[in-house]
């Protein structure tokens, strides 16, 4: 009977979002000689999961080789590098939904990211802000120097379509400048 030999590993890990090219296999047989085989099966390189590619060969005398299978695990890399794009600034007595700043993260797979305020350590002031899915941070209250705290903590999560995520805590310190505006600057802790 023919013998099938995989080219490359039997178990392959492949990062989602990048084209997958299988190494294929070869067959050898005392009747027909040798040759190459292209496997049967599909790998959806944009969808994390486990995929199988089967390699079969039957020689001219009807002798079938044992099927050889390659397992391809498509994995998602979590987003990373959550950071502030613009300095975060809150002005005193501005209306609700005033722009505070913008956050972004990177995703090795090229997935679209959405941004969320989440529960956890460092979320004490989440209720004072809103975060648009595109990473735009806005006020959810009117800030007043005489009545508001001078320090705020929020917890932010950037999440991709496969629920891979990165989180960060943002502790914003504020101070009143000479023109009675509350100015915020941030140190981002990941």
């Amino acid at each position: 009977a023919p013998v099938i030999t995989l080219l490359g590993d039997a178990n392959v890990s492949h990062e989602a979002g990048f084209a997958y090219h299988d190494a294929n296999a070869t067959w050898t047989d005392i009747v027909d000689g040798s040759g190459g085989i292209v496997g049967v099966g599909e790998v959806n390189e944009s969808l994390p999961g486990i995929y199988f590619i089967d390699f079969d060969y039957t020689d001219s005398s009807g002798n079938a080789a044992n099927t050889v299978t390659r397992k391809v695990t498509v994995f998602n890399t979590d987003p990373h590098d959550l950071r502030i794009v613009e300095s975060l600034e809150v002005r005193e007595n501005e209306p609700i939904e005033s722009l505070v700043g913008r956050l972004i993260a990177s995703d090795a797979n090229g997935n679209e990211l959405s941004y969320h305020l989440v529960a956890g350590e460092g979320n004490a002031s989440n209720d004072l802000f809103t975060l648009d899915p595109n990473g735009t941070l806005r006020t959810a209250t009117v800030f007043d120097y005489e009545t508001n705290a001078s320090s705020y903590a929020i917890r932010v999560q950037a999440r991709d379509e496969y629920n891979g995520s990165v989180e960060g805590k943002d502790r914003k310190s504020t101070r009143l400048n000479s023109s009675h505006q509350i100015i915020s600057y941030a140190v981002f802790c990941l």
Side-chain angles (χ1 to χ4, degrees), residues 79-154:
H80 59 92
D81 196 22
L82 182 59
R83 63 199 179 279
I84 300 165
V85 175
E86 304 157 2
S87 63
L88 302 181
E89 180 177 293
V90 177
R91 296 180 185 259
E92 185 175 30
N93 298 319
E94 289 291 317
I96 292 173
E97 295 191 13
S98 292
L99 178 66
V100 176
R102 187 154 152 59
L103 300 131
I104 62 169
S106 300
D107 188 272
N109 308 104
N111 297 320
E112 188 170 325
L113 300 176
S114 60
Y115 298 83
H116 311 272
L117 292 171
V118 293
E121 181 184 347
N123 75 332
S125 301
N126 279 13
D127 61 331
L128 300 176
F129 300 91
T130 62
L131 185 60
D132 297 340
N134 69 4
T136 303
L137 186 66
R138 300 179 183 281
T139 61
T141 189
V142 175
F143 287 85
D144 179 63
Y145 178 72
E146 289 78 25
T147 59
N148 289 113
S150 61
S151 181
Y152 305 96
I154 62 172

Side-chain angles (χ1 to χ4, degrees), residues 3-5 7 22-27 35-40 54-57 65:
V3 175
I4 297 173
T5 304
L7 299 174
D22 195 78
N24 294 314
T26 61
W27 58 266
I37 310 172
V38 174
V40 175
D54 293 327
F55 298 89
D56 289 304
Y57 180 77

Side-chain angles (χ1 to χ4, degrees), residues 44-73:
N44 184 343
E45 61 262 329
S46 63
L47 183 62
I50 297 174
Y51 302 90
F52 298 96
I53 300 174
D54 293 327
F55 298 89
D56 289 304
Y57 180 77
T58 302
D59 69 19
S60 59
S61 296
N63 301 310
N66 291 327
T67 299
V68 175
T69 301
R70 183 181 331 272
K71 176 181 169 184
V72 180
T73 303

Side-chain angles (χ1 to χ4, degrees), residues 5-21:
T5 304
L6 285 177
L7 299 174
D9 295 331
N11 296 302
V12 175
S13 293
H14 181 77
E15 190 167 4
F18 298 95
Y20 176 77
H21 302 286

